[in-house]
Amino acid sequence: MVADQSGRGCVYGMDIQNSALENTLSLLEKSVDRNERKLVKLFSLCHSRMEDVIPKDTPIRLVAFNLGYLPGGDKTIITMPGTTLMALHAASRLLMSGGLISIMVYVGHPGGRYILLC
């Protein structure tokens, strides 16, 4: 769904928890072929630093945020409003005209409600 007919396109995924990246890699290995996996770049990195890994002038059509904490992971590691605001600003700078930003906020923990208020 990411690549056009030329086979170009890329998904940049980032998380501060290596277990989230390992889970993603495992799901990719089970569900997509090797050529499709090459289109996915995973980074152990805070979302606020997306501009550090996405090449300049890359046409970004969608930035999707899944905010909260990692299910089955350490519940003390949660999304923080400060880094999320920085990430939203970075996303707005990277996004091509007509692109979208999608935000999913899990409010089932105290930090989730705080993010909604900011």
Side-chain angles (χ1 to χ4, degrees):
M1 292 176 60
V2 171
D4 58 18
Q5 290 76 16
S6 70
R8 293 182 307 178
C10 189
V11 172
Y12 297 90
M14 53 206 71
D15 202 290
I16 59 170
Q17 295 184 77
N18 285 330
S19 56
L21 300 172
E22 291 164 4
N23 292 348
T24 300
L25 186 57
S26 176
L27 287 170
L28 287 169
E29 288 173 349
K30 293 176 187 173
S31 60
V32 299
D33 68 40
R34 182 186 314 160
N35 289 331
E36 291 171 322
R37 282 195 304 271
K38 289 179 184 177
L39 301 176
V40 179
K41 314 280 187 224
L42 300 176
F43 299 91
S44 179
L45 190 71
C46 178
H47 56 191
S48 65
R49 296 188 45 217
M50 67 178 75
E51 291 174 295
D52 293 349
V53 295
I54 299 174
K56 251 187 185 352
D57 300 321
T58 300
I60 304 296
R61 296 183 291 181
L62 171 69
V63 178
F65 292 90
N66 186 9
L67 308 177
Y69 63 84
L70 178 63
D74 182 348
K75 302 280 190 284
T76 64
I77 302 173
I78 61 172
T79 305
M80 302 304 290
T83 57
T84 299
L85 186 57
M86 290 169 45
L88 286 167
H89 285 294
S92 69
R93 289 189 294 270
L94 291 168
L95 205 61
M96 65 187 286
S97 178
L100 298 171
I101 295 176
S102 170
I103 305 172
M104 174 63 70
V105 180
Y106 178 70
V107 296
H109 66 93
R113 294 196 187 283
Y114 183 71
I115 285 177
L116 286 178
L117 296 173
C118 291

